[in-house]
Amino acid sequence: HKYLTKYSYQNAETPQLWAELEAASGLPVQTVMKTWTEQMGFPVISVKSRQEGSDRILTLSQAKFVAVGNPDVSSYMWQIPIKILRGDSGEIIDVMMDQRTLEVTIPNLPADAYFKLNPGFLGFYRVQYSQEDLTSLFAAVGSM
């Protein structure tokens, strides 16, 4: 509402919209949106996990998604809001992927419990699981 009132009957530019959304939400809208509007394509997130005691450690890596061939890891990088679903409790964990590779710890996630990135498919990115994690996810979906 504030944005519409402030800029009614005027020309506004994209950065002004991001600034108003950032002020209203308290989130880094300008920084995130710059990575989405100033480069082409969208990312694929590769995820691998390992168990350390009772915790599951996820290693997330981003690259530009390509339908055929190898992902382009050269100059593309996004700031990506990521949601991770814990299979044991249904809890959603929010993280901001603001680097090419990121480690995320899911505390007390048993080795036999699954996790899922992008539950509800609301994020604008693809997910590539390791074969082991994909098998675990398939087993969980099959038992629902």
Side-chain angles (χ1 to χ4, degrees):
H1 174 68
K2 183 178 176 184
Y3 173 80
L4 294 176
T5 303
K6 185 174 182 178
Y7 294 103
S8 64
Y9 305 106
Q10 298 179 40
N11 290 331
E13 295 183 4
T14 304
Q16 294 166 318
L17 174 61
W18 301 152
E20 294 297 329
L21 290 172
E22 187 167 298
S25 68
L27 298 171
V29 175
Q30 292 183 76
T31 305
V32 171
M33 291 308 296
K34 184 175 181 175
T35 66
W36 290 93
T37 59
E38 294 184 3
Q39 60 188 352
M40 296 186 316
F42 58 93
V44 58
I45 306 298
S46 298
V47 57
K48 296 178 183 177
S49 73
R50 68 183 187 278
Q51 195 72 28
E52 288 188 5
S54 63
D55 298 340
R56 185 81 58 88
I57 311 298
L58 308 183
T59 302
L60 310 177
S61 302
Q62 65 169 288
K64 182 181 179 188
F65 174 77
V66 293
V68 178
N70 293 323
D72 181 356
V73 296
S74 59
S75 62
Y76 291 91
M77 193 179 93
W78 290 263
Q79 298 240 350
I80 310 167
I82 294 184
K83 293 188 178 296
I84 304 168
L85 171 70
R86 288 180 63 120
D88 62 341
S89 67
E91 174 190 359
I92 301 287
I93 300 166
D94 292 306
V95 296
M96 178 63 72
M97 186 168 190
D98 57 1
Q99 48 198 326
R100 215 169 284 291
T101 301
L102 177 69
E103 279 203 351
V104 177
T105 301
I106 304 177
N108 301 312
L109 184 67
D112 62 346
Y114 73 93
F115 63 90
K116 182 179 186 321
L117 272 68
N118 202 13
F121 305 101
L122 298 174
F124 198 66
Y125 55 90
R126 301 269 188 177
V127 180
Q128 180 182 25
Y129 294 95
S130 68
Q131 188 59 50
E132 182 178 286
D133 292 328
L134 190 58
T135 300
S136 174
L137 190 55
F138 280 158
V141 170
S143 67
M144 291 182 174

